[in-house]
Amino acid sequence: MFSLPLNCSPDHIRRGSCWGRPQDLKIAAPAWNSKCHPGAGAAMARQHARTLWYDRPRYVFMEFCVEDSTDVHVLIEDHRIVFSCKNADGVELYNEIEFYAKVNSKDSQDKRSSRSITCFVRKWKEKVAWPRLTKEDIKPVWLSVDFDNWRDWEGDEEMELAHVEHYAELLKKVSTKRPPPAMDDLDDDSDSADDATSN
């Protein structure tokens, strides 16, 4: 039986996607004295973006919660993801995550909206549950499980496909530099949806 990810507590539960309680969006940082530590101000300018994730049989979904982002760069490799951008205040955000397991980077994509950047990361080994997102058994303060979308997905492949289609529908009008995810599993469902629309 599949279970919730490790190291989770009620404090990590976030409701309403990226936009929960205002205090959830704050990022703790040490109180450096720039006069005593030259260059400390530049180092503090770059922070981590608040990140939500949840597991599905074929995909791992990640959402970087940055409103009105600019200079967005997403690099998805077989063992890690590197994300960077600037928020509406011009603050540089940077996240680098070593994945729990290998992924298919060639069949993984990202979509930007006005409120967040969503990544569809294709698992290398499908139908294998991820107890956590990170390779190391750690819990960064900026990383949380999206419990609104987390569920026991055993035997729930149709629900996953519907969920992916829902994301694609919400984000289809958003301009991107790359085409939508190459999800071969969706071919049959997409054809059915087109037939239903034409009728």
Side-chain angles (χ1 to χ4, degrees), residues 83-94:
F83 167 81
S84 65
C85 75
K86 292 182 180 179
N87 64 13
D89 296 325
V91 177
E92 294 183 7
L93 304 174
Y94 179 88

Side-chain angles (χ1 to χ4, degrees), residues 27-94:
I27 300 176
W32 289 93
N33 186 330
S34 59
K35 294 182 179 180
C36 298
H37 302 273
M44 289 181 61
R46 193 167 74 170
Q47 303 177 0
H48 290 107
R50 181 166 175 258
T51 308
L52 301 177
W53 81 283
Y54 59 96
D55 190 32
R56 282 292 187 267
R58 292 184 173 88
Y59 294 89
V60 172
F61 292 83
M62 302 174 59
E63 189 172 13
F64 296 100
C65 303
V66 184
E67 188 172 8
D68 297 329
S69 58
T70 58
D71 296 337
V72 176
H73 298 281
V74 180
L75 173 64
I76 302 176
E77 299 179 340
D78 288 350
H79 295 282
R80 69 167 185 162
I81 183 170
V82 180
F83 167 81
S84 65
C85 75
K86 292 182 180 179
N87 64 13
D89 296 325
V91 177
E92 294 183 7
L93 304 174
Y94 179 88

Side-chain angles (χ1 to χ4, degrees), residues 80-148:
R80 69 167 185 162
I81 183 170
V82 180
F83 167 81
S84 65
C85 75
K86 292 182 180 179
N87 64 13
D89 296 325
V91 177
E92 294 183 7
L93 304 174
Y94 179 88
N95 296 48
E96 181 173 349
I97 300 172
E98 294 285 335
F99 288 129
Y100 171 78
K102 184 178 180 180
V103 303
N104 186 348
S105 58
K106 294 182 180 180
D107 197 14
S108 300
Q109 293 288 338
D110 59 272
K111 287 281 190 177
R112 177 189 174 277
S113 70
S114 61
R115 285 196 165 188
S116 64
I117 297 88
T118 302
C119 299
F120 308 81
V121 182
R122 185 73 177 253
K123 292 180 177 179
W124 188 265
K125 292 184 178 180
E126 298 180 356
K127 304 179 183 179
V128 176
W130 285 23
R132 60 181 183 271
L133 179 64
T134 57
K135 180 180 180 180
E136 300 295 330
D137 189 4
I138 57 176
K139 179 64 178 66
V141 296
W142 44 266
L143 179 63
S144 303
V145 173
D146 185 353
F147 282 96
D148 284 342

